[in-house]
Amino acid sequence: MSARAPNLRDPLACARGLGSAKAGSHHWWMQRVTSIALLLLAPWLIWIVLHLLRADHATVRATFAHPLQATLAIAFVVSMFWHVKLGLQVVIEDYVHGWMEIAAQLANSFACILGAVASLVAIGRIAFMA
Amino acid sequence: MMPRERPLSPHLQVYRWQITMTMSILHRATGCALAAGAFGFAWWLVAVAIGPEAYAQFTGFMRGPLGLAALFGFSFALLYHTFNGIRHLLWDVGYGYEIPKLYATGWAVAALTLVTTLALWFLGWTGDVA
């Protein structure tokens, strides 16, 4: 998209910047933001899983209790469940319709938020009760 | 009265197979699989936080045939979705829409996924990682 591309929007629409998409552009943008966050955290995820593959409970707990690992784990869990919510939302929009769609979207939101909260409580308990 | 079921267009089965459509379908499929994986990751953290018994339950499942199969699926899905996600991000900034590039990046993602999945499992299986 070059700056010289013909622009059919009036100046006010350009200033508002959102076009007609409104929340849709926010969904699209947050899917990209969370994907880049996950891309940056992917090496950490692979490292920590390989590192703790054969470790006993005390070692795993001590590893996650370290402030650096706890921080990265929180960043990963939040970006992951956020990205999952946005992705599943689009899949549901494509294949499920009517009342089933509303039920599926609610279930998606609640499940992802619960998964994220449970992970955060777990990391907090590990980090603060070390 | 229900309207008569009319044929819908386009039919998926009239298309000649192309790598691009396989990559697209796999991106969504691996995304859905990784949504389940996200809750597996949450289970890991929660089990660590609860204590040694809960953790033994978690590792007992993960080291069994079902757990290993799931872990293999998640590792493949994660690597595929990550590499193909980079491909998506490149499209977002306008790179790689030409047909030859579309095919080349598609095969590159397939090759990278295969090699890194096998490398990861070799590292994990032979032990002594980091």
Side-chain angles (χ1 to χ4, degrees), chain A residues 32 51 53-54 57 94-95, chain B residues 28 48-49 63 92 124-125 130:
Chain A
R32 269 67 190 172
H51 182 62
L53 211 52
R54 288 176 179 78
H57 176 258
D94 282 353
Y95 304 130
Chain B
R28 179 163 278 201
V48 176
R63 284 166 192 170
D92 291 340
W125 210 265

Side-chain angles (χ1 to χ4, degrees), chain B:
Chain B
M1 188 187 114
M2 283 288 288
R4 199 154 63 92
E5 288 278 322
R6 305 294 302 179
L8 297 168
S9 178
H11 291 294
L12 207 56
Q13 65 268 27
V14 303
Y15 289 108
R16 178 175 50 83
W17 181 86
Q18 303 153 49
I19 185 180
T20 41
M21 66 194 203
T22 310
M23 303 300 283
S24 172
I25 293 163
L26 261 183
H27 195 73
R28 179 163 278 201
T30 51
C32 291
L34 288 169
F39 290 92
F41 190 81
W43 181 22
W44 185 29
L45 292 172
V46 169
V48 176
I50 291 175
E53 296 83 21
Y55 197 64
Q57 226 168 24
F58 172 79
T59 52
F61 172 78
M62 288 312 291
R63 284 166 192 170
L66 211 65
L68 280 175
L71 199 59
F72 184 82
F74 290 146
S75 64
F76 163 81
L78 181 81
L79 290 163
Y80 177 85
H81 202 84
T82 302
F83 290 130
N84 206 48
I86 295 172
R87 193 160 162 254
H88 269 276
L89 288 172
L90 290 174
W91 291 333
D92 291 340
V93 294
Y95 172 86
Y97 280 107
E98 304 84 348
I99 294 297
K101 266 189 190 150
L102 222 48
Y103 278 60
T105 52
W107 285 112
V109 165
L112 271 171
T113 304
L114 190 72
V115 170
T116 49
T117 305
L118 293 177
L120 202 61
W121 277 77
F122 179 78
L123 272 178
W125 210 265
T126 51
D128 290 334
V129 194

